[in-house]
Amino acid sequence: MSVSPNQAVDAANRAFGRHPGSRALHARGTLCQGTFKATPEAAALTRAAHLRGAEVPVTVRFSNGAGDPGHPDWVPDPRGLATKFYLPDGGRTDLVAVSSPRFPVRDPEGFVQLLKLQSAGPAATWKLPLFLRRYPEALRTLPALLPSLKPPVSYATIPYYAIHAYRWLDASGGDRYVRYTWRPLAGTHRLSLRTARRRPKDYLQTDLLERMQRAPLEFALEVQIAEPDDSTVDPSAAWSGRGRRVTVGVLRVTGPDHEREQGDDVLVFDPSRVTDGIECSEDPVLQFRPRAYSESVRRRTDG
Ligand code: HEM
């Protein structure tokens, strides 16, 4: 069985409703600006322009995973941190991450089935066993991912993971597969659901703006280098943990962005928008996402 980008966006729209002008998923969020500066260690691992050491400007969007922009911030949800790096030659490259360390299923079909379960109501009870038979990895991933859905104190206080493997090529032709993590320099702090529900509906967006008035939000970018037995194609699989971890840069989110998404400007964070020195892996979820994002963009910019 395979699914089309149309079917994926239909499933998201059925789960969360269709909201004109909004993203089909990660509908609620705040756009920010900032800078990224690579550490000296990065250039030995990749020749990518934004990882050579000079500071580059970025656009960042923090978001909640739901496709309904009206969902309160305290609803348990994966949170998003999408970053667009503006390269010295005028190009751009994106890094799209969520607060869950792994994807619940190994392929796009499984994700669409999950979205369908979410909108199935009581019928989900009898559909679930069939889903788990087809996607046995969910028995392991879904319970393991629950803690990462807990509402954060702030978008600044949780780690974010880009999940897929990417191939990094250095200036001497060496290569390695890596997975990215954004580590919050403010530490990891989440709320109990009971405490979170007492916060205002938009507490995360308000907190973000207030924090940035005081000081930049900071995240260290860490890569884990794959060992030979770490899967580069299965986004639901954990890596062994033996691979070397290297801090390759620091992101500073300095203030709200009032330039992008004004008027006709369409902003898309595309996980396959890489640059020389970085290549996408053959992970089928990574390969599928750009087409689903295009379909969402088509619908959100439609008339
Ligand atoms: C088959 C799997 C997936 C599908 C079908 C899917 C679908 C979508 C769609 C339709 C959007 C809205 C795009 C737009 O209108 O610009 C979106 C946004 C987003 N997705 Fe996914 N997604 C998938 C997997 C993932 C994974 C694995 C991650 C994390 C690594 C992720 C993180 C995000 C984030 C952070 C956004 C918001 C980007 C922004 O702020 O503009 N998604 N996704």
Side-chain angles (χ1 to χ4, degrees), residues 9-245:
V9 178
D10 281 348
N13 285 168
R14 260 198 302 276
F16 296 107
R18 195 164 169 178
H19 305 276
S22 286
R23 287 159 170 77
L25 290 170
H26 293 265
R28 181 183 182 78
T30 298
L31 262 188
C32 301
Q33 55 184 335
T35 58
F36 174 81
K37 187 165 173 27
T39 60
E41 288 74 33
L45 298 171
T46 171
R47 58 179 185 254
H50 58 308
L51 289 153
R52 284 192 203 141
E55 186 172 279
V56 294
V58 294
T59 301
V60 167
R61 185 169 179 269
F62 291 97
S63 60
N64 300 337
D68 182 346
H71 269 198
D73 284 347
W74 43 258
V75 172
D77 214 2
R79 315 290 156 168
L81 166 50
T83 310
K84 188 175 290 294
F85 303 84
Y86 298 95
L87 305 176
D89 70 354
R92 287 142 174 59
T93 185
D94 296 348
L95 204 170
V96 188
V98 281
S99 55
S100 297
R102 274 179 288 290
F103 207 53
V105 284
R106 65 185 183 276
D107 63 24
E109 292 76 25
F111 184 57
V112 171
Q113 295 307 322
L114 251 189
L115 285 171
K116 285 187 175 166
L117 269 183
Q118 206 164 328
S119 49
T125 321
W126 60 265
K127 290 186 169 179
L128 184 64
L130 182 62
F131 170 78
L132 291 174
R133 210 160 51 233
R134 284 238 283 276
Y135 296 96
E137 68 270 28
L139 278 170
R140 168 177 49 80
T141 56
L142 290 177
L145 293 178
L146 278 181
S148 71
L149 305 182
K150 271 177 78 179
V153 167
S154 160
Y155 282 129
T157 65
I158 42 172
Y160 298 85
Y161 309 85
I163 295 183
H164 311 291
Y166 289 84
R167 184 165 169 243
W168 272 21
L169 300 111
D170 62 47
S172 337
D175 72 316
R176 69 278 307 153
Y177 278 95
V178 302
R179 275 181 175 177
Y180 303 91
T181 303
W182 288 114
R183 302 250 173 239
L185 297 195
T188 301
H189 306 284
R190 292 196 165 84
L191 297 169
S192 70
L193 191 50
R194 236 174 100 208
T195 311
R197 287 175 80 106
R198 290 201 289 266
R199 302 263 158 123
K201 187 180 165 189
D202 56 356
Y203 82 92
L204 284 177
Q205 322 306 318
T206 318
D207 168 89
L208 191 56
L209 299 176
E210 285 173 2
R211 263 175 207 257
M212 290 188 298
Q213 274 180 358
R214 296 196 298 270
L217 270 53
E218 293 180 316
F219 295 87
L221 182 60
E222 179 187 282
V223 290
Q224 183 180 3
I225 301 174
E227 288 286 293
D229 52 347
D230 291 335
S231 172
T232 58
V233 293
D234 181 353
S236 70
W239 279 8
S240 66
R242 292 189 308 276
R244 188 158 69 97
R245 292 173 189 271

Side-chain angles (χ1 to χ4, degrees), residues 223-295:
V223 290
Q224 183 180 3
I225 301 174
E227 288 286 293
D229 52 347
D230 291 335
S231 172
T232 58
V233 293
D234 181 353
S236 70
W239 279 8
S240 66
R242 292 189 308 276
R244 188 158 69 97
R245 292 173 189 271
V246 185
T247 298
V248 293
V250 175
L251 173 70
R252 288 196 176 82
V253 188
T254 50
D257 181 302
H258 302 297
E259 309 268 302
R260 302 298 317 255
E261 296 203 326
Q262 301 298 318
D264 290 339
D265 178 47
V266 179
L267 179 62
V268 191
F269 294 93
D270 173 352
S272 70
R273 187 179 284 128
V274 288
T275 187
D276 179 58
I278 303 179
E279 287 176 0
C280 291
S281 59
E282 292 300 316
D283 179 334
V285 174
L286 175 57
Q287 296 291 326
F288 181 83
R289 286 172 64 193
R291 288 177 292 134
Y293 289 34
S294 297
E295 177 56 22

